[in-house]
Amino acid sequence: MQSLKAACLLFSAIVSLGIASAQRETEVFEPAYFERFAPQTALDMLRQVPGFSVRSTGGGRGLGQGGTNVLINGERITSKDTNVIDILSQTPVQAVVRIEVADAASLGVTGLNGQVANVVLDRSEFSGSFEWEPTFRREVRPRLTAGAVSVSGTVKKLDYTLGIQNEAWRGFERGPETRSAADGTIVDVRQEEENTRLEAVTVTMALNYDISPRTDLSVTGSATSFAFEGREISEGFDDTRVSISGEDEWNADLSAELAHKWGPGTLRLIGYHRFERSPTINKNITTFTDEPTETAIFDQLADESESIFRSEYAWPTDGGGSWEVAAESAFNLLDVESFVLFDDGTNAITDIIPATRVDELRNQASLTRGFSLGERLSIQASLAGEWSRITVESDSASREETFLRPKGLVSLSYPWTDTLDIRGRLERSVGQLSFFQFINSVDLTEDRGFSGNTNLVPQQAWIGEVELEKRFGTDEKIILRAIGRQIEDRVDRILINGQDAVGNVDEASSLTLQTEGTLLLDRWSVEGGRVDYIYSHFSSRIEDQITGRQRGFNDATDWFYEVSFRHDVPATPFAWGLEVTAEDDFSIVRFNERIRVSESTPAYSAFFEHKDLFGLNLRISGRNLANRDYDLDRVRFAGLLTESPIDVIESRSRIDNRRLQITLSGTF
């Protein structure tokens, strides 16, 4: 309760300071600015906004605070699945009027921080776009089915964007794995090859209907058919193992928002529902030289759903400020049935994993105030609280527990000079649990079991962020950002009933330092040249629940960078470019093993683009040009790693072949 009182006092103090208006400058990018890039969709245009990168500040827990820092016609897209990026990727470029970039604190959009892009659309004229993206890779069948088609327009009072796309994928890895004893003696050398295939066809819609001059109805939705197949062959001294995995998923979501101008402000009523059915299978067939074949099958059926109802009322105040009061109710559900079948050719043993149902009922309310101090400082303050109830039902365990947690944020934006902005954010957040962490499961390919933890609680955190943006004219900028997190009940790996599982760790912390920007190369006589970059350094601390020592977060890389160069050759329809990305090694610690994953070289890519080939855009890209290796070193112990001898040391190296990708796109 102390944190709730402190948050109330902070909110009251900040609200009492709201006085004069601040005149903020908004960067405006007209369609003419993007012509040299030959964009085909609204998303293509957004990606070329200098110094802007799409960020998500939450949004995983309900439809409330947080979300993607991109708006459409000044409004946030309230659907969680058919998000703003999906809609923009299917909106033809002809429908874009302009893109505006401003500070979130000056826009009154709850929960967003830093730069926000507002894509202004006009769908009054019918238009469409299409893309076909075949990919070719040695030793893999060509990917010929990836592509998308979308249309946008208006029928009387109905604006629409409709699209269909297939995010197909073909994967391939090959390489040796050496297994050694603790003294270095090689006990097995395996030759391994993995092939994966994915077809994910999604139909998307975004509708807006003007019921009256004061009332609008927006509807978004999507449906996806997801088919994944994976096959790994591992040949050793005395056996050959074939591991087959597959998932035949379908999911659908629907979101509706009714906005009505009422009194001095706007009332919004939002409803959202999503359902997903995911049957998965993992099958291992091991053939020995002198022994019978062994078969193991893990079969799982999971049903997931989420339903949300949200109401909010926002109104402006004198001096350019705003208020918003909101309430939200959400219900999340996961229902899982699974079993493991062992068959050595003579006897079959079926191990039924207890069926488990996990659900969470959550209600929250928030009050948000946006205002300005003086002529420059913009502030947004929000005070919120949530009540939630987690219920777990299974044959092996049951649980029902309720929680009451405060939330809120304060964000500030101050233009120190005409070319230098300072932004800040302090937030109290509550994380969203993955309900699959409550469920027992098995990974036959890696010969590993996972014990579900029915006592998990969502992690909470204090998040502080400071951002500096330095502009050099309209087209160039550099951003420096620091994000610190002090986390309570961090969800991490622990030991439960002798098996690896996830659990809550009392305290943890992290610090992220980032820089990103856009630089033009005209000053170095490369007219039409442009460099975009991002670099991120991450450090974290948590007490390992097995060793008692401090370590970094599992699966977390210490640094990452991406640098891209693009040259639009003046007075020609041609462009070319290069890209390099790299990340540091990362580690995973479990109760009986340590894993280190690394990459041999950065990933290099290059492209050539013809922006007007008979009215179409043709891009030819070469990816993974250095043919980098993925290396994995794993030390497995006979039991608990702090007290057991080494069982086996595995060293794996796999190569991912170069790829040739052709992208043919256009509009109509």
Side-chain angles (χ1 to χ4, degrees), residues 48-68:
Q48 299 300 334
V49 173
F52 179 81
S53 60
V54 177
R55 298 178 64 202
S56 178
T57 56
R61 193 166 177 83
L63 297 174
Q65 297 178 355
T68 305

Side-chain angles (χ1 to χ4, degrees), residues 292-309:
T293 298
E294 292 183 355
T295 301
I297 299 173
F298 173 67
D299 192 291
Q300 177 178 277
L301 176 62
D303 289 337
E304 300 175 74
S305 67
E306 181 175 19
S307 300
I308 303 173
F309 176 75

Side-chain angles (χ1 to χ4, degrees), residues 472-658:
F472 306 90
T474 304
D475 298 339
E476 296 180 284
K477 64 179 64 176
I478 293 176
I479 297 174
L480 303 176
R481 184 182 301 120
I483 307 171
R485 295 177 176 86
Q486 189 64 42
I487 305 169
E488 303 168 22
D489 296 322
R490 161 77 183 182
V491 177
D492 208 275
R493 310 220 71 84
I494 64 173
L495 180 64
I496 296 179
N497 299 326
Q499 283 193 308
D500 186 64
V502 293
N504 293 110
V505 181
D506 290 341
E507 296 181 355
S509 61
S510 68
L511 176 64
T512 303
L513 302 176
Q514 291 180 336
T515 177
E516 59 181 290
T518 300
L519 302 174
L520 302 185
L521 303 182
D522 298 61
R523 64 173 63 89
W524 291 290
S525 301
V526 185
E527 185 180 353
R530 163 174 164 162
V531 173
D532 293 272
Y533 77 92
I534 181 170
Y535 174 82
S536 179
H537 182 84
F538 181 79
S539 60
S540 57
R541 287 177 62 86
I542 189 171
E543 182 179 305
D544 189 278
Q545 299 302 288
I546 305 301
T547 65
R549 300 174 182 173
Q550 295 290 326
R551 61 166 172 82
F553 294 169
N554 275 321
D555 294 325
T557 58
D558 290 344
W559 53 263
F560 161 83
Y561 71 81
E562 177 180 314
V563 181
S564 63
F565 163 75
R566 177 185 175 97
H567 185 206
D568 292 273
V569 182
T572 75
F574 304 118
W576 66 281
L578 305 169
E579 182 180 273
V580 55
T581 63
E583 63 181 6
D584 191 22
D585 302 350
F586 66 89
S587 299
I588 302 172
V589 180
R590 305 181 190 276
F591 80 98
N592 66 341
E593 64 182 10
R594 290 194 181 98
I595 301 173
R596 186 76 172 175
V597 180
S598 61
E599 299 171 352
S600 60
T601 66
Y604 298 100
S605 302
F607 76 89
F608 170 80
E609 184 174 341
H610 193 310
K611 295 179 283 188
D612 189 14
L613 182 65
F614 304 107
L616 303 178
N617 184 288
L618 173 67
R619 173 183 285 213
I620 301 175
S621 304
R623 299 187 177 276
N624 190 31
L625 296 179
N627 215 13
R628 63 178 175 176
D629 296 334
Y630 297 88
D631 298 324
L632 183 148
D633 296 302
R634 173 165 43 200
V635 181
R636 290 194 173 188
F637 296 81
L640 198 64
L641 59 83
T642 55
E643 58 188 38
S644 303
I646 293 176
D647 182 38
V648 66
I649 301 173
E650 301 175 359
S651 296
R652 174 190 302 172
S653 180
R654 291 187 177 181
I655 197 167
D656 183 9
N657 285 335
R658 301 177 183 89

